[in-house]
Amino acid sequence: MKDVAIAGYAETKIDVRGGRTSYELAGDALDQILRQTSVDKSEIDGLLVSETMSESANPFWAQYMADVLGISPTWLELLGLGGVSSIGGVARAAMAIQNKACSIALVLAADAQSSGQTPEQGAQRFEFQYPTGLRGPVGAFGMIMRRYDHLYGLNRRALARLAVTQRGHAILNDNACPRLRKAITEEDYLNSKLVSDPLRVLDSVMVCDGANAVLVMSSDEAKRRGLKAVYPTGYAELTHYKVTEPLTEITESGFLAAGPRALKQSGLRAQDVQSFHPYDDFIIAIMLQLEQIGFCDVGKGADYILSKDMTFKGDLPLNTGGGQISAGQPGLAGGGLNLVEAVRQMFGDGGPRQIRRTQNAMVTGIGGIPYARNWCTSAVMILEQ
């Protein structure tokens, strides 16, 4: 897809109960994009909007968003893949541009989940789960952690290392939720409150409000305008890994297939990846992705993590904005947070947390937590200069 480029990015500050609507937050993100790129709003003829937790009652969310923003698109899409929607949106926008359905597309995610009503998630089957106390994603990931511990042994020191690394990055991120911009130690992580044994408070995201966006256009158009650009050279997604198997292994996910596929498309190996921006609603998800994408063998994630420097100064920088766990999860705009940070770093705009190597980056997405199996959708995108 090197004929299509990401040529701009935007991100609002992330906060808890900020009191602003998803529309207002989206407007701020669009304003940032327009100022950064000098693209006129009238030139944006494609719009992809991610689903939200705060506006899900509106079945015409994408149309209303286009109206509020003053955009009249020839290509409009509403994408409901949760944390996959932002990178999945870039892949779909690229196809729309290649097929001449539009020429400049805004891939937008905005959510005010902590300020609004949160609808019941249909994937959470309360008739099965609630009587046993398994409520939502926290319970599901507690089960995944317990199962991983049974199979391979769970070295919590490795998870603590991930938590401390990402928190250190959030402290350097002015957009991170103010409540989370406080240093933690590995002991703080290990002693934090149990919420779904063995999952603890510091394993989990804090639901916040925020918005983010990227601007996608042809590579030729980006060059004509003199814009910085990065290129999505590999993308793969998979929904419902081993769906026909009645007793799936809940520690396995679609990353076992999507990771190698995306790497093959880009001609890279896992060891060639210069920065890693995985979807991180829970700390254990980072380790599972490292294993299943191919950075290390399955069951050996802890050893790999403890052998690596994953700070922004290290050999595999990890979620250099803090990730959702330490910057805050802006509802279903969470996947865009990791994407925007990767683009920011590759543009050289990382400021005090700028990484050294920016020729490529890997961004991932996770979408949906069903009952009695792993997450619904797994996706991997490779970005290159």
Side-chain angles (χ1 to χ4, degrees), residues 37 78 83 109 121 142 154 180 191 206 211 246 283 326 335 344 359 377:
T37 63
L78 175 65
Q121 295 182 51
L154 186 62
L180 296 173
N191 295 322
M206 178 188 290
I283 290 285
S326 277
R344 178 187 289 118
Q359 289 305 113
T377 305

Side-chain angles (χ1 to χ4, degrees), residues 73-91:
T74 58
W75 175 76
L76 177 66
E77 186 162 336
L78 175 65
L79 190 54
L81 293 179
V84 172
S85 293
S86 290
I87 59 172
V90 170

Side-chain angles (χ1 to χ4, degrees), residues 262-326:
L263 286 165
K264 184 177 181 181
Q265 284 179 20
S266 65
L268 297 177
R269 303 164 300 166
Q271 53 264 46
D272 299 324
V273 173
Q274 295 181 351
S275 66
F276 186 43
H277 304 269
Y279 193 87
D280 62 318
D281 45 356
F282 297 92
I283 290 285
I284 188 67
I286 301 172
M287 190 165 77
L288 291 175
Q289 290 173 79
L290 286 167
E291 293 181 1
Q292 295 176 24
I293 290 170
F295 289 90
C296 59
D297 292 337
V298 171
K300 300 297 183 181
D303 293 341
Y304 181 83
I305 291 162
L306 293 172
S307 72
K308 290 285 181 182
D309 179 356
M310 292 188 167
T311 68
F312 72 93
K313 298 177 182 179
D315 43 2
L316 184 64
L318 169 73
N319 279 336
T320 48
Q324 297 168 82
I325 286 176
S326 277

Side-chain angles (χ1 to χ4, degrees), residues 124 129 134-149 154 156 159 195-200 203-205 250-251 253 255 279-289 366-370 373-376:
Q124 302 302 323
Q129 294 173 250
L134 184 64
R135 294 190 62 124
V138 170
F141 270 89
M143 285 184 64
I144 289 171
M145 288 180 73
R146 178 68 70 196
R147 177 64 176 168
Y148 186 97
D149 191 27
L154 186 62
R156 293 194 62 88
L159 302 185
V195 290
S196 181
D197 193 9
L199 187 145
R200 295 176 179 270
D203 281 304
S204 313
V205 291
I250 64 171
T251 63
S253 76
F255 285 113
Y279 193 87
D280 62 318
D281 45 356
F282 297 92
I283 290 285
I284 188 67
I286 301 172
M287 190 165 77
L288 291 175
Q289 290 173 79
I366 293 173
I369 309 295
R373 60 176 65 240
N374 212 306
W375 50 78
C376 299

Side-chain angles (χ1 to χ4, degrees), residues 151-179:
L151 291 174
Y152 309 111
L154 186 62
N155 185 339
R156 293 194 62 88
R157 282 285 170 187
L159 302 185
R161 178 75 59 84
L162 296 176
V164 171
T165 297
Q166 293 201 164
R167 183 60 63 92
H169 292 156
I171 290 169
L172 299 174
N173 180 2
D174 290 339
N175 285 337
C177 177
R179 295 190 190 185

Side-chain angles (χ1 to χ4, degrees), residues 17-336:
R17 292 185 289 279
R20 306 182 71 211
T21 69
S22 298
Y23 292 112
E24 292 174 284
L25 294 164
D28 284 355
L30 174 59
D31 284 345
Q32 287 183 34
I33 288 271
L34 299 179
R35 288 197 303 270
Q36 183 191 78
T37 63
S38 297
V39 169
D40 191 270
K41 186 170 67 173
S42 64
E43 298 178 282
I44 299 175
D45 56 358
L47 177 63
L48 184 140
V49 183
S50 296
E51 257 288 11
T52 75
M53 295 297 290
S54 57
E55 300 284 349
S56 292
N58 179 2
F60 309 108
W61 167 239
Q63 291 100 316
Y64 276 56
M65 179 62 81
D67 185 16
V68 168
L69 296 180
I71 295 174
S72 182
T74 58
W75 175 76
L76 177 66
E77 186 162 336
L78 175 65
L79 190 54
L81 293 179
V84 172
S85 293
S86 290
I87 59 172
V90 170
R92 288 157 176 80
M95 289 187 283
I97 291 167
Q98 289 166 337
N99 292 328
K100 303 191 183 308
C102 63
S103 57
I104 300 178
L106 181 70
V107 177
L108 173 68
D111 205 348
Q113 184 178 355
S114 72
S115 293
Q117 295 293 320
T118 301
E120 179 71 32
Q121 295 182 51
Q124 302 302 323
R125 301 309 308 178
F126 62 86
E127 66 270 34
F128 299 134
Q129 294 173 250
Y130 288 7
T132 61
L134 184 64
R135 294 190 62 124
V138 170
F141 270 89
M143 285 184 64
I144 289 171
M145 288 180 73
R146 178 68 70 196
R147 177 64 176 168
Y148 186 97
D149 191 27
H150 171 75
L151 291 174
Y152 309 111
L154 186 62
N155 185 339
R156 293 194 62 88
R157 282 285 170 187
L159 302 185
R161 178 75 59 84
L162 296 176
V164 171
T165 297
Q166 293 201 164
R167 183 60 63 92
H169 292 156
I171 290 169
L172 299 174
N173 180 2
D174 290 339
N175 285 337
C177 177
R179 295 190 190 185
L180 296 173
R181 294 185 69 193
K182 299 173 184 176
I184 61 170
T185 65
E186 291 186 9
E187 295 305 317
D188 290 333
Y189 167 84
L190 294 168
N191 295 322
S192 63
K193 180 182 177 182
L194 277 170
V195 290
S196 181
D197 193 9
L199 187 145
R200 295 176 179 270
V201 165
L202 291 180
D203 281 304
S204 313
V205 291
M206 178 188 290
V207 172
C208 299
D209 303 342
N212 46 68
V214 293
L215 196 65
V216 185
M217 62 184 69
S218 73
S219 302
D220 289 342
E221 185 66 19
K223 289 174 185 174
R224 186 182 73 80
R225 293 171 180 266
L227 295 173
K228 293 180 180 179
V230 297
Y231 309 96
T233 61
Y235 179 74
E237 75 179 47
L238 181 64
T239 298
H240 298 318
Y241 180 68
K242 293 185 176 179
V243 69
T244 58
E245 295 187 12
L247 292 175
T248 56
E249 172 51 62
I250 64 171
T251 63
E252 294 180 354
S253 76
F255 285 113
L256 286 162
R261 235 171 52 226
L263 286 165
K264 184 177 181 181
Q265 284 179 20
S266 65
L268 297 177
R269 303 164 300 166
Q271 53 264 46
D272 299 324
V273 173
Q274 295 181 351
S275 66
F276 186 43
H277 304 269
Y279 193 87
D280 62 318
D281 45 356
F282 297 92
I283 290 285
I284 188 67
I286 301 172
M287 190 165 77
L288 291 175
Q289 290 173 79
L290 286 167
E291 293 181 1
Q292 295 176 24
I293 290 170
F295 289 90
C296 59
D297 292 337
V298 171
K300 300 297 183 181
D303 293 341
Y304 181 83
I305 291 162
L306 293 172
S307 72
K308 290 285 181 182
D309 179 356
M310 292 188 167
T311 68
F312 72 93
K313 298 177 182 179
D315 43 2
L316 184 64
L318 169 73
N319 279 336
T320 48
Q324 297 168 82
I325 286 176
S326 277
Q329 184 186 62
L332 292 186

